[in-house]
Amino acid sequence: MFTKKGDAAVLAKLGEAPAPYREIGERLHRIIRDNAPSLEPIVRWGLPFYVKDGKDICYIKPDKEYIVFGFGEVVNPAHEEGAHMHPVAWNITSLDDATEARIKALVVKAAS
């Protein structure tokens, strides 16, 4: 497993994504860094991850037709008591204010 650390490494990796997903990835990165500065950005297995105390908290996976934003197995801020299914990843094709607010809230909860 090869790992590159830091914002520059993550932004370089996101810069390889096709437009408009490159811009979405960069916005996701800003949301994560602005709202969970304790998370360390790294590139591992070719994907941007954000880790805390050595544990994967969330990740971004660019694709040709969408970008995936998800959480690691250790923490799932989208877990709902009493639900039978719990989302851990979302395919994102665009970002609006409501989606950004939801992502922000999930990131803050996961990082705490």
Side-chain angles (χ1 to χ4, degrees), residues 5-94:
K5 296 182 179 185
D7 292 307
V10 165
L11 288 170
K13 190 63 182 176
L14 292 171
E16 297 173 6
Y21 307 113
R22 172 181 33 244
E23 291 83 9
I24 293 171
E26 291 168 353
R27 284 172 68 189
L28 289 170
H29 175 77
R30 282 194 306 276
I31 292 168
I32 295 164
R33 297 299 285 147
D34 289 349
N35 295 284
S38 65
L39 300 183
E40 178 184 15
I42 65 169
V43 175
R44 183 175 53 224
W45 300 305
L47 299 176
F49 280 84
Y50 300 83
V51 301
K52 183 176 184 179
D53 300 327
K55 297 177 182 171
D56 295 340
I57 302 299
C58 58
Y59 66 91
I60 301 171
K61 179 183 176 193
D63 196 81
K64 290 181 275 184
E65 297 179 13
Y66 51 84
I67 196 160
V68 176
F69 174 72
F71 291 93
E73 297 173 9
V74 174
V75 61
N76 181 358
H79 177 86
E80 295 178 5
E81 199 64 41
H84 297 281
M85 290 179 31
H86 308 281
V88 294
W90 295 263
N91 292 349
I92 299 172
T93 55
S94 64

